[in-house]
Amino acid sequence: MTQPSLAVGYIPGATPAKWARVWTERHPDIALRLSAVEAADAADAVRTRAVDVALLRPPADPGGLAVIPLYAETTVVVLPADHLLTALDEVSAADLADEPVVIPLDDVVGWSAGLPVEHRPETTKDATELVAAGMGLLVVPQSLARLHHRKDLSYRPISDAPACPVALAFPDGEQTPLVEEFIGIVRGRKSSSSRGRAEPAPKRTAREKTLAKQAARAAAGKTARKPVKRGRR
């Protein structure tokens, strides 16, 4: 018999480790298979069932997907460690206006300032090599700046750039119990809770019980006596 498992895709820079740890604690007998997927391929990986769920950047066309926003990343500019702009704690689009900017073919920001360099490298990693060589600057989500960090590079937040959202995506429609469980973990649902299971009714106080009895007597056509107020002795 095939052992049950759940395939989770994640894009570069995303970190599913904390949810994977919770899954392992709660379901040690059900394997969680983590698969790195390119940002451009992540949505199709979910649509084609190559993975069951994926941490990705929301696609422009969410057709066939259910998407739960998770968080938004700060957009930063990657620049040589000795660049003049490293003297600032953060930069603005105006600060980048006259700077050459490298835009890789796998760009996930969709926004840029400065002067685009004609050559477009295949990947963000290739683009960081060009930044280190002095070819220009690079605009990326902060997680990618950290992922491709080098000693000869630095990065600064861009104060007026749009943030870069990350979401959890899964096929639209009814979900399997394992997908539902992973969604619950990502949303912070406690292990003792269960989707669709009624919550236990809270215990009633003595006064609430008395009022309920009075209401029941009134509904049955009986006159309820007013509760006697007792003062302190």
Side-chain angles (χ1 to χ4, degrees):
M1 180 182 294
T2 304
Q3 290 294 109
S5 64
L6 185 73
V8 178
Y10 63 96
I11 57 172
T15 53
K18 61 180 179 181
W19 297 312
R21 285 194 297 270
V22 175
W23 180 277
T24 301
E25 291 170 359
R26 296 185 187 178
H27 307 286
D29 298 328
I30 302 177
L32 192 71
R33 295 185 286 110
L34 301 178
S35 302
V37 292
E38 294 299 326
D41 303 328
D44 283 339
V46 178
R47 291 189 182 104
T48 61
R49 305 300 202 274
V51 295
D52 297 305
V53 299
L55 297 172
L56 47 64
R57 304 191 187 281
D61 176 15
L65 301 177
V67 178
I68 299 175
L70 297 179
Y71 56 89
E73 288 189 72
T74 299
T75 300
V76 305
V77 60
V78 179
L79 62 174
D82 59 355
H83 196 283
L84 289 175
L85 289 178
T86 59
L88 303 176
D89 292 332
E90 66 177 16
V91 302
S92 67
D95 294 323
L96 304 176
D98 297 325
E99 297 287 344
V101 176
V102 180
I103 304 176
L105 294 176
D106 66 352
D107 172 60
V108 296
V109 178
W111 176 93
S112 183
L115 307 173
V117 174
E118 184 176 351
H119 172 64
R120 297 191 64 185
E122 289 286 334
T123 68
T124 298
K125 186 177 186 302
D126 294 337
T128 60
E129 299 284 345
L130 297 181
V131 174
M135 295 284 292
L137 311 185
L138 172 66
V139 175
V140 292
Q142 185 168 296
S143 65
L144 291 186
R146 289 173 173 170
L147 180 66
H148 301 301
H149 179 67
R150 298 167 39 135
K151 290 182 178 180
D152 53 356
L153 296 179
S154 186
Y155 65 85
R156 293 292 183 272
I158 306 174
S159 59
D160 49 357
C164 298
V166 175
L168 178 69
F170 42 91
D172 199 8
E174 187 174 355
Q175 304 305 318
T176 66
L178 293 184
V179 170
E180 288 283 10
E181 176 66 10
F182 189 77
I183 293 171
I185 288 174
V186 170
R187 283 179 159 171
R189 193 179 303 149
K190 302 299 183 182
S191 60
S192 57
S193 66
S194 176
R195 187 169 183 170
R197 185 173 66 191
E199 292 293 330
K203 292 183 178 180
R204 294 184 298 178
T205 64
R207 175 168 174 75
E208 288 172 336
K209 290 178 181 179
T210 299
L211 293 175
K213 288 179 181 179
Q214 291 174 0
R217 288 171 62 86
K222 300 177 182 179
T223 302
R225 292 183 301 172
K226 292 183 180 180
V228 178
K229 294 184 178 178
R230 299 181 179 181
R232 295 183 180 179
R233 294 181 177 179

